Amino acid sequence: MDTAKEKELLQTHQYWVASFMEDSSLDELDSILSHDIMGYGTTQDEKIFGREAVKNIIEIGRQQRRLFDNYRYDLEIVKKQISKKSDAAVIIAEINVSYSIDRNETLLPLRISTVFYYDEQWKVTHWHGSLGVKTDGDTWHQNEWQCEKERLQKLVDEQTAKLKKSLENLKATQSQLIQSEKMASLGELTAGIAHEIQNPLNFVNNFSEVNTELIEEMQEELKAGNTEEAISISDDIKENQKKINHHGRRADAIVKGMLQHSRNNTSDKEATNINALADEYLRLSYHGLRAKDKSFNAKLETDFDKSLGSVNIVAQDIGRVILNLITNAFYVVKKKKEQQKEGYEPTVSVYTKKKKDTITISVKDNGNGIPLAIKEKIFQPFFTTKPSGEGTGLGLSLSYDIVKAHGGELKVETHEGMGTEFTIILPNTEITKK
Amino acid sequence: MKILVVDDEKDVQLLFQQRFRKEIRTGVLNFVFAFSGEEALDIMKTMEQEAVLILSDINMPGMSGLDLLEKIRKDFEQPPPLVMMVTAYGDEENRNTAKRLGADDFLTKPLDFALLKSKLTTLK
């Protein structure tokens, strides 16, 4: 007898049995199965033909085993016979399986007889599986096996129902988290908003006061009969009135933007001036941060591509992305400044660029950069490097989704110790030239 | 004396022109406007040997009012211009920094024009 071939046979047999009994690799399975493989089982009168059917029954077994505790099996080869030419073989093996479900232990003796032939390597051409003899000497009957199957099916159904329920819970939690992330970023904005509203409000007050004075002057001029002078003053009043209106609307837009930012529903795309949007959020987040920490100062650099006109986007969503990137940038330069007081100037740059098919908005910081080990994770939901309670870990993940929903990309380039640059790339849907 | 007003809000120019229209008309006050720290420095270079009072906002994109103050104190020694900084309400930190950098006076936003007028006219 060819001992090398025999050794090979035992290896193939072991691989074959393991495919059924363990979660072993199935990479080599095709090569050990005859293309016309047949199998029979007595448990439910199974008839299996072909490689795909074999793989299917292996997969069903694997799924069922996931419900088992303390699963183990041992294999004993009862009989092994190899033809004289070493070109065919039969192996009869007894396999004792034991597992428990809900602490109920089950012993399941199986018998698998396999026929092999040799064609450059050993291949399974036929097998027969049956339930063996129980430890108490009785045999397993078909209905007993059926009960076992039903018990397993019930368990699978219960587990599926539980999973469905927790999936629903997860979905509800997710939308709550998204909302709380929005509210958190709104909190970051509040101080900035207060500052930004203060400026237009000052103009409204000042120009109103000037107009009151001018009207008094105009009345005096009219009483004195100086019509020309009165007309000249009325021109100034008109001009100031326009300014009052302009700054009133500016404050109005900031409040509206704030409300939109916190709103839960998604809006339609609208023509938006990207440069103005980026500039607005840069100011808001800078003042927001400064309101929280007065000692913090950073150099702001902007370079807005003046050829960039209005682009069709959901302004509050892209605004949220820009805000998130800028807030993160300020956070990292602030951290670096705390570590390294001398010779470091925290700098955050925001710039826009128009290309043929795309427009880009970049936010760059000169912080510590993102370590390679976590670079892959930064867009994952709930990933955060901030201490617990400071970040939801959803900012970048939501940003990524928003940019994707616009048909764009959110890219990151980082150099450890040097800084990070995030770039929002959007398809160029420019509608009007500025 | 020329008064150089530095603020990135462009309407500040119109507001000053309206608020001080009588003083401008009678030549009591003479304003020049810059909309960034960089522009302010350029204007300063053209006004060497002149007496100048700079009234600057702090929060400006690019060069901040504090950066401008620092540069002014370094580069314009003869004659040293007077510098008044405009700070946001309650911004003690910037106020202290400005003081350290050599600011001559402070004004708080929103500007009290009556107070500013009295300060500017008594300076003469």
Side-chain angles (χ1 to χ4, degrees):
Chain A
M1 183 179 291
D2 189 334
T3 51
K5 266 192 177 175
E6 187 182 349
K7 203 176 156 198
E8 226 181 283
L9 173 69
L10 287 173
Q11 277 170 358
T12 306
H13 181 259
Q14 196 185 14
Y15 184 88
W16 161 243
V17 173
S19 307
F20 278 90
M21 309 308 296
E22 303 169 17
D23 291 339
S24 60
S25 160
L26 299 178
D27 294 346
E28 308 291 317
L29 192 66
D30 273 337
S31 70
I32 67 149
L33 299 183
S34 161
H35 71 275
D36 57 354
I37 181 168
M38 284 185 216
Y40 297 94
T42 52
T43 52
Q44 280 205 76
D45 205 18
E46 297 98 336
K47 295 181 185 71
I48 289 142
F49 300 102
R51 285 172 178 165
E52 289 313 307
V54 174
K55 282 180 198 164
N56 189 32
I57 199 166
I58 286 174
E59 186 48 44
I60 290 170
R62 288 180 179 210
Q63 278 176 15
Q64 281 187 347
R65 268 205 307 280
R66 285 181 199 132
L67 304 169
F68 298 164
D69 294 318
N70 305 320
Y71 171 84
R72 61 185 184 276
Y73 75 96
D74 59 64
L75 169 75
E76 188 195 341
I77 293 180
V78 183
K79 192 165 180 141
K80 175 183 75 197
Q81 199 156 355
I82 304 177
S83 68
K84 275 180 191 160
K85 285 186 192 164
S86 291
D87 54 1
V90 177
I91 294 180
I92 299 168
E94 272 186 6
I95 301 165
N96 283 308
V97 181
S98 70
Y99 59 87
S100 54
I101 298 171
D102 298 340
R103 292 186 189 165
N104 293 321
E105 193 159 336
T106 304
L107 285 169
L108 190 65
L110 299 172
R111 171 181 284 238
I112 295 186
S113 315
T114 314
V115 181
F116 297 84
Y117 69 91
Y118 197 88
D119 175 19
E120 290 177 350
Q121 71 174 89
W122 288 105
K123 288 179 187 271
V124 180
T125 178
H126 188 106
W127 96 93
H128 187 269
S130 58
L131 285 168
V133 179
K134 288 211 279 189
T135 41
D136 56 7
D138 200 359
T139 51
W140 283 70
H141 295 293
Q142 196 165 323
N143 61 347
E144 203 167 346
W145 179 237
Q146 190 61 33
C147 286
E148 182 68 10
K149 266 201 82 171
E150 276 163 15
R151 198 162 75 88
L152 286 176
Q153 187 57 48
K154 208 176 138 205
L155 215 72
V156 170
D157 292 346
E158 276 171 20
Q159 297 279 7
T160 311
K162 272 188 205 163
L163 281 172
K164 259 190 192 156
K165 182 81 195 151
S166 51
L167 188 68
E168 277 163 22
N169 286 342
L170 272 173
K171 275 185 181 159
T173 313
Q174 188 190 28
S175 61
Q176 272 172 10
L177 277 166
I178 290 173
Q179 186 60 14
S180 66
E181 168 67 24
K182 282 183 189 174
M183 295 316 283
S185 62
L186 183 67
E188 277 161 10
L189 278 181
T190 314
I193 287 165
H195 184 275
E196 284 299 292
I197 290 178
Q198 190 65 55
N199 273 339
L201 220 52
N202 289 344
F203 279 118
V204 170
N205 289 337
N206 276 308
F207 280 117
S208 305
E209 280 168 32
V210 172
N211 268 2
T212 310
E213 287 172 19
L214 284 175
I215 289 166
E216 280 167 11
E217 270 179 43
M218 188 174 69
Q219 284 171 339
E220 276 163 28
E221 296 291 347
L222 283 171
K223 275 178 202 159
N226 299 332
T227 326
E228 220 145 282
E229 190 58 32
I231 290 172
S232 159
I233 293 174
S234 78
D235 285 341
D236 286 345
I237 294 173
K238 206 168 142 191
E239 188 67 21
N240 292 351
Q241 199 56 45
K242 276 187 200 157
K243 291 292 170 193
I244 291 170
N245 201 247
H246 166 76
H247 288 286
R249 271 191 302 205
R250 191 175 145 200
D252 187 55
I254 292 167
V255 174
K256 276 215 181 79
M258 181 177 76
L259 291 176
Q260 271 179 348
H261 182 88
S262 60
R263 225 164 49 188
N264 211 357
N265 55 334
T266 50
S267 291
D268 293 334
K269 286 182 180 172
E270 57 197 349
T272 308
N273 183 327
I274 293 276
N275 290 343
L277 188 76
D279 193 41
E280 183 192 341
Y281 277 100
L282 177 63
R283 284 158 164 277
L284 289 178
S285 57
Y286 179 68
H287 294 310
L289 195 77
R290 290 266 296 122
K292 269 192 264 177
D293 180 4
K294 291 229 179 287
S295 66
F296 176 72
N297 239 320
K299 198 169 152 199
L300 305 183
E301 285 175 348
T302 54
D303 185 7
F304 295 131
D305 189 338
K306 288 197 175 67
S307 69
L308 188 56
S310 287
V311 176
N312 231 357
I313 53 166
V314 184
Q316 83 224 38
D317 282 357
I318 294 295
R320 191 176 297 141
V321 177
I322 296 171
L323 172 71
N324 181 253
L325 298 181
I326 293 174
T327 310
N328 285 351
F330 279 131
Y331 182 85
V332 296
V333 295
K334 184 170 176 276
K335 283 274 161 241
K336 189 168 177 179
K337 184 71 187 171
E338 283 164 10
Q339 295 163 0
Q340 185 185 333
K341 292 239 186 281
E342 294 304 313
Y344 172 66
E345 187 178 21
T347 307
V348 172
S349 334
V350 179
Y351 54 96
T352 56
K353 259 200 193 97
K354 186 173 88 171
K355 289 175 185 165
K356 194 167 158 269
D357 302 318
T358 57
I359 59 149
T360 59
I361 308 154
S362 302
V363 178
K364 193 172 159 188
D365 65 66
N366 65 343
N368 279 324
I370 304 167
L372 209 63
I374 63 166
K375 196 186 155 193
E376 297 297 312
K377 293 184 193 156
I378 56 169
F379 293 116
Q380 287 174 10
F382 308 114
F383 180 80
T384 179
T385 56
K386 294 180 183 172
S388 61
E390 276 192 39
T392 58
L394 285 174
L396 277 178
S397 152
L398 280 177
S399 297
Y400 187 85
D401 291 347
I402 289 170
V403 177
K404 278 273 163 202
H406 278 79
E409 276 180 273
L410 182 56
K411 287 207 166 153
V412 58
E413 201 174 301
T414 184
H415 300 284
E416 264 187 78
M418 307 283 287
T420 306
E421 178 171 352
F422 281 91
T423 302
I424 304 166
I425 305 165
L426 295 173
N428 188 354
T429 55
E430 204 176 9
I431 13 181
T432 47
K433 293 271 174 213
K434 199 179 162 188
Chain B
M1 181 185 272
K2 275 190 178 156
I3 300 157
L4 173 59
V5 181
V6 192
D7 200 310
D8 59 313
E9 293 272 7
K10 295 220 163 76
D11 282 343
V12 161
Q13 179 172 3
L14 182 68
L15 184 64
F16 270 70
Q17 285 166 344
Q18 297 271 13
R19 276 286 185 181
F20 297 108
R21 62 195 179 283
K22 282 178 195 160
E23 290 76 8
I24 293 170
R25 209 185 300 148
T26 53
V28 177
L29 295 174
N30 191 351
F31 289 100
V32 185
F33 296 89
F35 303 115
S36 70
E38 291 85 348
E39 199 186 332
L41 283 179
D42 288 345
I43 292 173
M44 283 302 291
K45 280 175 202 152
T46 68
M47 298 200 296
E48 266 178 301
Q49 308 303 322
E50 273 186 79
V52 178
L53 179 138
I54 299 172
L55 184 67
S56 176
D57 187 26
I58 287 185
N59 281 317
M60 291 185 291
M63 186 189 289
S64 77
L66 295 174
D67 296 337
L68 174 68
L69 172 61
E70 204 171 5
K71 281 219 157 57
I72 292 283
R73 283 289 170 254
K74 216 177 78 196
D75 298 345
F76 297 88
E77 288 171 349
Q78 279 302 327
L82 284 173
V83 181
M84 268 188 203
M85 299 304 287
V86 182
T87 60
Y89 179 76
D91 192 356
E92 282 305 310
E93 196 69 36
N94 272 336
R95 218 182 160 102
N96 291 337
T97 312
K99 207 176 270 178
R100 185 168 52 78
L101 292 173
D104 298 293
D105 204 351
F106 300 94
L107 289 165
T108 310
K109 267 188 179 179
L111 281 181
D112 180 344
F113 278 87
L115 177 70
L116 179 61
K117 192 180 282 184
S118 76
K119 280 194 182 200
L120 292 180
T121 44
T122 52
L123 260 173
K124 292 243 97 184

